[in-house]
Structure formats: structure tokens, C-alpha cells
Amino acid sequence: MEKKKYKNYISISESRKIIKHNIKQMKHYEALKNRRKEPSEYTTVMRDDNNIIEIDGLKTCFFTDNGTVMSVNGVSFDIPKNKIVGVVGESGCGKSVTSLSIMQLVQAPQGQVVEGEIRFASDAIGRDNDGRKLAYNIAKMPTREMYNIRGKDITMIFQEPMTSLNPVFTIGNQLDEVSFVHNPEISKEDAKAYSIELLKKVGISMPEHTYKSYPHELSGGMRQRVMIAMAIAGNPKLIIADEPTTALDVTIQAQILEILKDLQREQGCSVMLITHDLGVIAEMADEVVVMYAGKVIERGTAHEIFHNPMHPYTVGLQKSKPLITSDGNEPLYSIPGQVPNPINLPDCCYFRNRCNKRCEACKGKYPDMIKVSDTHYVSCHLYAEGEEVES
């Protein structure tokens, strides 16, 4: 009788091959990041002058002992100037890894951006001879050059402010540091005055007292306001807000979102808002990107996504949200099935086994992005001509 082979079993020889491959790949990508490059090697041209960021075919993976995890697998979308773009999807779909890729903060050496472009329209490099807007390709940019952009032109508000703020330094010390890093000539007095002004701007009633306080002396909402103050200290072009209200109660959440929206209007910057809460997206976002298993499966304006959702996954996400009119005796809707293993992703549509509208074409190659309107795109075989839904 043949010995049963376990599907998820990895032999010692296979494990050694994976480790050897991982070490080789990690050394390669780390060397690329640390190599001195001429600006021409990581300078490119924007496709549209109205965008601040253009993500094109981004692939970010993690080299693990079980294999290569494709956390972000060919993501493409734009963040226009002076707009709020909401990114939604289940946990593990690649939202946060996409934002960390933009910041060059993916945990290295295991995590690496292996393919694609992240074009950032920096004012520092102007235009080329043909009048086209020049941009930095962050995916190829050396780490030492990224220091000039990160925290100044592109900033991030992290999910948990208590772990983002240093517990052994005062709020004032940490706010002042932002000014000193990006403006070394500023005096201590001017840095302090600017920090207090920022605290006032984010709605802190006693900024002088908060300036002298330590993080543990502040509430969650106060700490999040401090994080927003740090994010806007350098007058950024793009603010990435990664679940900025997850740890807060509903009342404080509404205040934080209102502050973020007001600052976006006043400063004329763009915001990439990552959240699970579709209500927040509906209230805040101008455009919406829906992600699943490391890919963008639908994108469009907030009105299109909420009033005309086309991908079955987007429809499922909206049905999963509890409503005030919902029957309390009925269980909350959940999308059946599980997300595919990111190490061994299928060649067909990743959502096929969970979809109640799958068609014959879903057994074939992964669907291309189909243009529904000038602003609405969906990656689904349902909208290809001549397809019939399986019974």
C-alpha cells in the first residue's frame, strides 16, 4: 500500500532549496537598494500630470521558509492630486503592503518589491525637454535617496499610535525631530512654536501641556491627533492613512476623520485611506480601489462602487456591512469559502471558488481589467461578451 502524501508537507531537501533560493533573492534585491545610482536610473515620466502617484504592475513578495508569498501581485492604480482614494478589502489582501511599498518600509530582507513602478510626481525635478512631468520611480530608488521624500513629501499615519510613538520621549521632542530632520537650520524655539501650532491645527485644546506630555499620558484619540500632526509637519503631497481610526470609539473616529478631511482641503494634498469600514470610505473617499488576494479587482469613483458594484466580491463586501435596518435575529452575511494560499495561487480567477456567479470562463486564465466607463474598471469574466453564469 502506498504511503499517503500530505499536500502541505515540505521535505528537508525542498526546504533547503527554498532557503537557498530565498538567500540568493534577498541578497540580490538588498544590493539593488543599497547600490549607488545615478538619478537617471530611477527617474521616469508621469503618465498623467493630474496624478501625484501612479502605481503600475507592482509586485511585492515575502521570502518565507514555506515559499514565496505574493502579497501584492500586479497592482495598478493612480492617486490623483487633491483627492482621497480609499483602499478596501479583507485582511491580508495587500492593502497595507501596497502602502508600505510606496514608503519603502516593507520589512526587509524577507519583504521586497520585485517588479513594477511607483511613480511619484516630485516638484524637485520639474519637467523634461518635451514638457512632460518628471517623477521618481520609488520601486528603483536607493534607500538613502528615499530619506529625502519619506516623512516630508510622503507621510504615513499608522494603525496603532501607541506603538508608533516612542514611549520614552515627550510629544514635543518627537514633533520637533520632524522639523530638525527636514529643516536642519531651524532653531529650537522655532521648532517648538511650529510643533505647538501643529497640535492646535489637529484640534488639541491644550497644546502646550500636550507638548510636554509622554504618549502614555494621552488617550488613544489624542495620540492619533499627534500622529496626524507629525504627518502634516512637512507639508506633504501625499498622506497614507492606514486604518487611522481602528482603535478608537465611534465619536472620536468621526472627529479624527473630519480633521483629516479638513487638513486635506486646507493643504491641498492627496490621501490614501486604507480601511475595512465601507461607511468611512463612502463618507471620505473620492475614488475607491477594491483589493482581493494581492490584486485590484475593481476601481472607480465612490458613487460607482457603492451604487453600481460589479464584481461579486465588491457586492459581498457591501452585503457584509451591518445596517441600522438589519434584522438583529438574522446572522450577518459573510462571503463563503477562504482566500487562496498566497504561496500557490491558481492560474484562474482567485475568487472563483467563493463566487456564486462563476461562469465557464472562470476556469481559464485570470480575467483582464475591463473598462466599464472612463472611471470604472472591473476584473471579472462576467462582463466579457457571451458568458453564461453556471447553475
Side-chain angles (χ1 to χ4, degrees), residues 81-268:
K81 293 177 180 176
N82 305 326
K83 297 286 185 181
I84 299 177
V85 175
V87 183
V88 293
E90 291 173 303
S91 295
C93 70
K95 306 184 301 295
S96 294
V97 177
T98 300
S99 67
L100 292 172
S101 300
I102 295 172
M103 295 288 289
Q104 273 198 14
L105 288 176
V106 178
Q107 187 177 2
Q110 288 81 12
Q112 300 288 344
V113 175
V114 297
E115 197 175 306
E117 287 191 345
I118 305 169
R119 297 186 288 271
F120 170 63
S122 174
D123 292 337
I125 48 177
R127 296 179 178 271
D128 65 4
N129 295 331
D130 297 324
R132 297 176 298 177
K133 180 66 182 144
L134 291 172
Y136 288 126
N137 181 6
I138 292 174
K140 293 183 178 179
M141 204 170 187
T143 303
R144 60 174 63 87
E145 297 298 329
M146 188 64 193
Y147 294 152
N148 299 322
I149 293 176
R150 188 197 299 141
K152 186 175 184 293
D153 291 333
I154 307 176
T155 58
M156 192 164 183
I157 304 166
F158 293 95
Q159 185 170 350
E160 178 47 65
M162 193 61 211
T163 56
S164 304
L165 294 169
N166 194 322
V168 300
F169 291 106
T170 63
I171 298 300
N173 190 297
Q174 296 181 64
L175 270 172
D176 291 349
E177 185 182 10
V178 180
S179 299
F180 291 137
V181 167
H182 297 293
N183 186 11
E185 297 177 1
I186 194 171
S187 66
K188 289 184 179 179
E189 293 76 16
D190 289 342
K192 180 179 179 180
Y194 183 54
S195 296
I196 290 173
E197 182 189 331
L198 289 172
L199 293 174
K200 285 180 184 175
K201 192 177 282 190
V202 295
I204 291 178
S205 56
M206 295 189 294
E208 291 83 1
H209 180 266
T210 303
Y211 180 88
K212 298 174 185 176
S213 302
Y214 287 87
H216 70 272
E217 297 177 289
L218 306 179
S219 66
M222 293 277 276
R223 288 196 291 264
Q224 197 61 285
R225 289 168 195 259
V226 170
M227 288 299 299
I228 294 173
M230 284 178 134
I232 64 171
N235 294 315
K237 305 290 186 298
L238 173 67
I239 299 174
I240 300 171
D242 186 4
E243 305 261 10
T245 58
T246 299
L248 308 175
D249 60 61
V250 178
T251 309
I252 303 301
Q253 174 179 323
Q255 293 175 10
I256 294 296
L257 291 173
E258 194 59 37
I259 287 169
L260 198 57
K261 203 167 187 176
D262 290 343
L263 289 170
Q264 185 267 329
R265 286 197 209 100
E266 289 172 15
Q267 306 224 156

